[in-house]
Coordinates of all heavy atoms in Angstrom, one line a residue:
M10 N 86.8 61.1 110.4 CA 85.5 61.9 110.6 C 84.4 60.9 111.1 O 84.3 59.8 110.6 CB 85.1 62.5 109.2 CG 84.0 63.5 109.3 SD 83.6 64.1 107.7 CE 84.9 65.3 107.4
D11 N 83.7 61.4 112.0 CA 82.6 60.6 112.6 C 81.5 60.3 111.5 O 81.3 61.2 110.6 CB 81.8 61.3 113.7 CG 82.7 61.4 114.9 OD1 83.6 60.6 115.1 OD2 82.4 62.3 115.8
P12 N 80.9 59.2 111.5 CA 79.9 58.9 110.5 C 78.7 59.9 110.5 O 78.2 60.3 109.4 CB 79.3 57.5 110.8 CG 80.3 56.9 111.8 CD 81.2 58.0 112.4
E13 N 78.4 60.4 111.7 CA 77.3 61.4 111.7 C 77.7 62.7 111.1 O 76.9 63.4 110.5 CB 76.8 61.6 113.2 CG 76.2 60.4 113.8 CD 77.2 59.5 114.5 OE1 78.4 59.8 114.5 OE2 76.8 58.5 115.1
V14 N 79.0 63.1 111.3 CA 79.5 64.3 110.7 C 79.6 64.2 109.2 O 79.2 65.0 108.4 CB 80.9 64.7 111.3 CG1 81.5 65.9 110.5 CG2 80.8 65.0 112.8
R15 N 80.0 63.0 108.7 CA 80.0 62.7 107.3 C 78.6 62.8 106.7 O 78.4 63.3 105.7 CB 80.6 61.3 107.1 CG 81.0 61.0 105.6 CD 81.3 59.6 105.4 NE 82.4 59.1 106.3 CZ 83.7 59.3 106.1 NH1 84.1 59.9 105.0 NH2 84.6 58.9 107.0
A16 N 77.6 62.2 107.5 CA 76.2 62.3 107.0 C 75.8 63.7 106.9 O 75.1 64.1 105.9 CB 75.3 61.5 108.0
A17 N 76.2 64.6 107.8 CA 75.9 66.0 107.7 C 76.4 66.6 106.4 O 75.8 67.4 105.7 CB 76.3 66.7 108.9
H18 N 77.7 66.3 106.1 CA 78.3 66.8 104.9 C 77.6 66.3 103.6 O 77.4 67.1 102.7 CB 79.8 66.5 104.8 CG 80.6 67.4 105.7 ND1 81.1 68.6 105.3 CD2 80.9 67.3 107.0 CE1 81.8 69.1 106.3 NE2 81.7 68.4 107.4
E19 N 77.2 65.1 103.7 CA 76.4 64.5 102.5 C 75.1 65.3 102.4 O 74.6 65.5 101.3 CB 76.2 63.0 102.7 CG 77.5 62.2 102.4 CD 77.4 60.8 102.8 OE1 76.3 60.3 103.2 OE2 78.5 60.1 102.7
W20 N 74.5 65.6 103.5 CA 73.2 66.3 103.5 C 73.5 67.7 102.9 O 72.6 68.2 102.1 CB 72.7 66.5 105.0 CG 71.4 67.1 105.0 CD1 70.2 66.4 105.1 CD2 71.0 68.5 105.1 NE1 69.1 67.3 105.1 CE2 69.6 68.6 105.1 CE3 71.8 69.6 105.1 CZ2 68.9 69.8 105.2 CZ3 71.1 70.8 105.2 CH2 69.7 70.9 105.2
F21 N 74.6 68.4 103.2 CA 74.8 69.7 102.6 C 74.9 69.6 101.1 O 74.4 70.4 100.3 CB 76.2 70.2 103.0 CG 76.3 70.5 104.5 CD1 77.5 70.2 105.2 CD2 75.3 71.1 105.2 CE1 77.6 70.5 106.5 CE2 75.4 71.4 106.5 CZ 76.5 71.0 107.2
E22 N 75.4 68.5 100.6 CA 75.6 68.3 99.1 C 74.2 68.2 98.5 O 74.0 68.6 97.3 CB 76.5 67.1 98.8 CG 77.9 67.4 99.1 CD 78.8 66.2 99.0 OE1 78.3 65.2 98.4 OE2 79.9 66.2 99.5
G23 N 73.3 67.5 99.2 CA 72.0 67.3 98.6 C 71.0 68.3 98.9 O 69.8 68.3 98.4
N24 N 71.3 69.3 99.7 CA 70.4 70.3 100.1 C 70.9 71.7 99.8 O 71.7 71.9 98.9 CB 70.0 70.1 101.5 CG 69.1 68.9 101.7 OD1 67.9 69.0 101.5 ND2 69.7 67.7 101.9
S25 N 70.5 72.7 100.6 CA 70.8 74.1 100.3 C 72.2 74.5 100.6 O 72.6 75.6 100.4 CB 69.8 75.0 101.0 OG 69.8 74.7 102.4
G26 N 73.0 73.5 101.0 CA 74.4 73.8 101.3 C 74.7 74.2 102.7 O 74.0 73.8 103.6
W27 N 75.8 74.9 102.8 CA 76.5 75.2 104.0 C 76.0 76.5 104.6 O 76.3 77.6 104.1 CB 77.9 75.2 103.7 CG 78.9 75.5 104.8 CD1 79.5 76.6 105.1 CD2 79.3 74.5 105.8 NE1 80.3 76.4 106.2 CE2 80.2 75.2 106.6 CE3 78.9 73.2 106.0 CZ2 80.7 74.5 107.7 CZ3 79.5 72.5 107.1 CH2 80.4 73.2 107.9
A28 N 75.2 76.5 105.6 CA 74.7 77.7 106.2 C 74.7 77.6 107.7 O 73.7 77.5 108.4 CB 73.3 78.1 105.7
P29 N 75.9 77.6 108.3 CA 76.0 77.5 109.8 C 75.4 78.6 110.5 O 75.5 79.8 110.0 CB 77.5 77.4 110.1 CG 78.2 78.0 108.9 CD 77.2 77.8 107.7
P30 N 74.8 78.4 111.7 CA 74.4 79.5 112.5 C 75.5 80.3 113.0 O 76.7 79.8 113.0 CB 73.7 78.8 113.7 CG 74.0 77.3 113.6 CD 74.7 77.1 112.3
D31 N 75.3 81.6 113.4 CA 76.4 82.4 113.8 C 76.8 82.0 115.2 O 76.1 81.2 115.9 CB 76.1 83.9 113.7 CG 74.9 84.3 114.6 OD1 74.8 83.8 115.7 OD2 74.2 85.2 114.1
E32 N 78.0 82.5 115.7 CA 78.6 82.1 116.9 C 77.7 82.4 118.1 O 77.6 81.6 119.0 CB 80.0 82.7 117.1 CG 81.0 81.7 117.3 CD 82.4 82.3 117.2 OE1 82.9 82.8 118.2 OE2 83.0 82.3 116.1
D33 N 77.0 83.5 118.1 CA 76.2 83.9 119.2 C 75.0 82.9 119.4 O 74.7 82.5 120.5 CB 75.6 85.3 119.0 CG 76.6 86.4 119.2 OD1 77.7 86.1 119.7 OD2 76.3 87.5 118.8
T34 N 74.5 82.5 118.3 CA 73.4 81.5 118.3 C 73.9 80.2 118.8 O 73.2 79.5 119.7 CB 72.8 81.3 116.9 OG1 72.4 82.6 116.4 CG2 71.7 80.3 116.9
L35 N 75.1 79.7 118.4 CA 75.6 78.5 118.8 C 75.9 78.5 120.4 O 75.6 77.6 121.1 CB 77.0 78.2 118.1 CG 76.8 77.8 116.7 CD1 78.2 77.9 116.0 CD2 76.3 76.4 116.5
D36 N 76.4 79.7 120.8 CA 76.6 79.8 122.3 C 75.3 79.8 123.1 O 75.3 79.2 124.1 CB 77.4 81.2 122.5 CG 78.8 81.1 122.1 OD1 79.3 80.0 121.8 OD2 79.5 82.2 122.0
E37 N 74.3 80.4 122.5 CA 73.0 80.4 123.2 C 72.4 79.0 123.3 O 71.9 78.6 124.3 CB 72.0 81.3 122.4 CG 72.0 82.7 122.8 CD 71.1 83.6 121.9 OE1 70.0 83.0 121.6 OE2 71.4 84.7 121.6
W38 N 72.5 78.3 122.2 CA 72.1 76.9 122.2 C 72.9 76.1 123.2 O 72.3 75.3 124.0 CB 72.2 76.2 120.8 CG 71.3 76.8 119.8 CD1 70.2 77.6 119.9 CD2 71.4 76.5 118.4 NE1 69.7 77.8 118.7 CE2 70.4 77.2 117.7 CE3 72.4 75.8 117.6 CZ2 70.2 77.2 116.4 CZ3 72.2 75.8 116.2 CH2 71.1 76.5 115.6
A39 N 74.2 76.2 123.2 CA 75.0 75.5 124.1 C 74.7 75.8 125.6 O 74.7 74.9 126.4 CB 76.5 75.7 123.8
A40 N 74.4 77.1 125.8 CA 74.0 77.5 127.2 C 72.8 76.7 127.7 O 72.6 76.5 128.9 CB 73.9 79.0 127.3
D41 N 71.9 76.4 126.7 CA 70.7 75.7 127.0 C 70.9 74.2 126.9 O 69.9 73.4 127.1 CB 69.5 76.1 126.1 CG 69.1 77.5 126.3 OD1 69.3 78.0 127.5 OD2 68.5 78.2 125.4
G42 N 72.0 73.8 126.5 CA 72.3 72.3 126.4 C 71.7 71.7 125.1 O 71.6 70.5 125.1
V43 N 71.4 72.6 124.2 CA 70.8 72.0 122.9 C 71.6 72.5 121.7 O 72.5 73.4 121.8 CB 69.4 72.5 122.7 CG1 68.5 72.0 123.9 CG2 69.3 74.0 122.6
S44 N 71.4 71.9 120.6 CA 72.0 72.3 119.3 C 70.9 71.9 118.3 O 69.9 71.4 118.6 CB 73.3 71.6 119.1 OG 73.9 72.1 117.9
K45 N 71.3 72.3 117.0 CA 70.4 71.8 115.9 C 71.3 71.1 114.9 O 72.5 71.4 114.8 CB 69.7 73.0 115.3 CG 68.5 73.5 116.0 CD 67.8 74.5 115.2 CE 66.6 75.0 116.0 NZ 65.8 76.0 115.2
A46 N 70.7 70.2 114.2 CA 71.3 69.5 113.1 C 71.1 70.4 111.9 O 70.3 71.3 111.9 CB 70.7 68.1 112.9
P47 N 71.9 70.2 110.8 CA 71.8 71.0 109.6 C 70.4 70.9 109.0 O 70.0 71.8 108.3 CB 72.8 70.4 108.7 CG 73.9 69.8 109.6 CD 73.1 69.3 110.8
D48 N 69.6 69.9 109.2 CA 68.3 69.8 108.7 C 67.3 70.4 109.6 O 66.1 70.3 109.5 CB 67.9 68.3 108.4 CG 67.9 67.4 109.6 OD1 68.3 67.9 110.7 OD2 67.4 66.3 109.5
D49 N 67.8 71.2 110.6 CA 66.9 72.0 111.6 C 66.3 71.2 112.7 O 65.4 71.7 113.4 CB 65.8 72.7 110.8 CG 65.8 74.2 111.2 OD1 66.9 74.7 111.6 OD2 64.8 74.8 111.0
C50 N 66.7 69.9 112.8 CA 66.2 69.1 114.0 C 66.9 69.6 115.2 O 68.1 69.9 115.2 CB 66.5 67.6 113.8 SG 65.6 66.8 112.5
V51 N 66.2 69.6 116.3 CA 66.8 70.0 117.6 C 67.4 68.7 118.2 O 66.9 67.6 118.2 CB 65.7 70.5 118.6 CG1 66.3 70.7 120.0 CG2 65.1 71.7 118.1
T52 N 68.7 68.9 118.6 CA 69.4 67.8 119.2 C 70.2 68.4 120.4 O 70.0 69.5 120.8 CB 70.3 67.0 118.2 OG1 70.9 66.0 118.8 CG2 71.3 67.9 117.5
T53 N 71.2 67.6 120.9 CA 72.0 68.1 121.9 C 73.4 68.5 121.3 O 73.6 68.2 120.2 CB 72.3 67.0 123.0 OG1 72.8 65.9 122.4 CG2 71.0 66.6 123.7
V54 N 74.2 69.3 122.1 CA 75.4 69.8 121.6 C 76.3 68.7 121.0 O 76.9 68.8 120.0 CB 76.2 70.6 122.7 CG1 77.6 70.9 122.3 CG2 75.4 71.8 123.1
E55 N 76.3 67.6 121.8 CA 77.2 66.4 121.3 C 76.3 65.4 120.6 O 76.8 64.2 120.4 CB 77.9 65.8 122.5 CG 78.9 66.7 123.2 CD 80.0 67.1 122.3 OE1 80.4 66.3 121.4 OE2 80.5 68.2 122.4
G56 N 75.1 65.8 120.2 CA 74.2 64.8 119.7 C 74.1 64.6 118.2 O 74.9 65.2 117.5
T57 N 73.1 63.8 117.9 CA 72.8 63.4 116.5 C 71.3 63.5 116.4 O 70.6 63.0 117.3 CB 73.3 62.0 116.3 OG1 74.7 61.9 116.6 CG2 73.1 61.6 114.8
C58 N 70.8 64.0 115.3 CA 69.4 64.1 115.1 C 68.8 62.7 114.7 O 69.6 61.8 114.5 CB 69.0 65.2 114.1 SG 69.0 64.7 112.4
S59 N 67.5 62.6 114.7 CA 66.9 61.3 114.5 C 67.1 60.8 113.0 O 66.9 59.7 112.7 CB 65.4 61.4 114.7 OG 64.8 62.4 113.9
H60 N 67.7 61.7 112.2 CA 68.0 61.3 110.8 C 69.5 60.9 110.7 O 70.0 60.7 109.6 CB 67.7 62.4 109.8 CG 66.3 62.9 110.0 ND1 65.9 64.1 110.6 CD2 65.1 62.3 109.6 CE1 64.6 64.2 110.6 NE2 64.1 63.1 110.1
G61 N 70.2 61.0 111.8 CA 71.6 60.5 111.8 C 72.6 61.7 111.4 O 73.8 61.4 111.1
L62 N 72.1 62.9 111.5 CA 73.1 64.0 111.2 C 73.6 64.6 112.5 O 72.9 64.8 113.5 CB 72.3 65.1 110.5 CG 71.6 64.8 109.2 CD1 71.0 66.0 108.5 CD2 72.5 64.0 108.2
A63 N 74.9 64.9 112.5 CA 75.6 65.4 113.7 C 75.1 66.9 113.9 O 74.7 67.6 113.0 CB 77.1 65.4 113.5
S64 N 75.1 67.3 115.2 CA 74.7 68.7 115.5 C 75.7 69.7 114.9 O 76.8 69.3 114.5 CB 74.8 68.9 117.0 OG 76.1 68.9 117.5
W65 N 75.3 70.9 114.7 CA 76.1 71.9 114.2 C 77.4 72.1 115.0 O 78.5 72.3 114.5 CB 75.4 73.3 114.1 CG 74.7 73.5 112.9 CD1 73.3 73.7 112.7 CD2 75.2 73.7 111.6 NE1 73.0 73.9 111.4 CE2 74.2 73.9 110.7 CE3 76.5 73.6 111.1 CZ2 74.4 74.1 109.3 CZ3 76.7 73.8 109.7 CH2 75.6 74.0 108.8
H66 N 77.3 71.9 116.3 CA 78.5 72.0 117.2 C 79.5 71.0 116.8 O 80.7 71.3 116.7 CB 78.1 71.9 118.7 CG 77.5 73.1 119.2 ND1 76.1 73.3 119.2 CD2 78.0 74.2 119.8 CE1 75.8 74.5 119.7 NE2 76.9 75.0 120.1
R67 N 79.0 69.8 116.5 CA 80.0 68.7 116.1 C 80.5 68.9 114.7 O 81.7 68.7 114.5 CB 79.2 67.3 116.2 CG 79.0 66.9 117.6 CD 78.2 65.6 117.6 NE 79.1 64.5 117.1 CZ 78.6 63.3 116.7 NH1 77.3 63.1 116.8 NH2 79.4 62.4 116.2
V68 N 79.7 69.4 113.8 CA 80.1 69.6 112.4 C 81.2 70.6 112.4 O 82.3 70.5 111.8 CB 79.0 70.0 111.5 CG1 79.4 70.5 110.2 CG2 78.0 68.9 111.4
L69 N 81.0 71.7 113.2 CA 82.0 72.8 113.2 C 83.2 72.5 113.9 O 84.3 72.8 113.5 CB 81.3 74.1 113.7 CG 80.1 74.6 112.8 CD1 79.4 75.8 113.5 CD2 80.6 75.0 111.5
A70 N 83.1 71.7 115.0 CA 84.3 71.3 115.8 C 85.1 70.4 115.0 O 86.4 70.4 115.0 CB 83.8 70.6 117.1
A71 N 84.5 69.6 114.1 CA 85.3 68.6 113.3 C 86.1 69.4 112.3 O 87.2 69.0 111.9 CB 84.3 67.7 112.6
L72 N 85.6 70.6 111.8 CA 86.3 71.4 110.8 C 87.6 71.9 111.5 O 88.6 72.1 110.8 CB 85.5 72.5 110.3 CG 84.4 72.2 109.4 CD1 83.7 73.5 109.0 CD2 84.8 71.4 108.2
E73 N 87.5 72.2 112.8 CA 88.6 72.9 113.4 C 89.7 71.9 113.8 O 90.8 72.3 114.0 CB 88.1 73.6 114.7 CG 87.4 74.9 114.3 CD 86.6 75.5 115.5 OE1 86.9 75.0 116.7 OE2 85.8 76.4 115.3
S74 N 89.3 70.6 113.9 CA 90.3 69.7 114.4 C 91.2 69.1 113.3 O 90.9 69.4 112.1 CB 89.6 68.5 115.2 OG 88.8 67.8 114.3
Ligands
ZN7 ZN1 67.1 65.5 111.3

């Protein structure tokens, strides 16, 4: 697991937990070339927010792999 994805999971444990955006929202973000991190920071689809958390796209892709 990428360190940033791991950091996101650690964030879930310390915060309100697991609340991924729905698929339509993720697709809209991706169409604009953006994503959000679990702490609501705007980042890129393949990016990491300024706090070191992976984007939702990365977190969810890691679950599927
Ligand atoms: Zn952040």
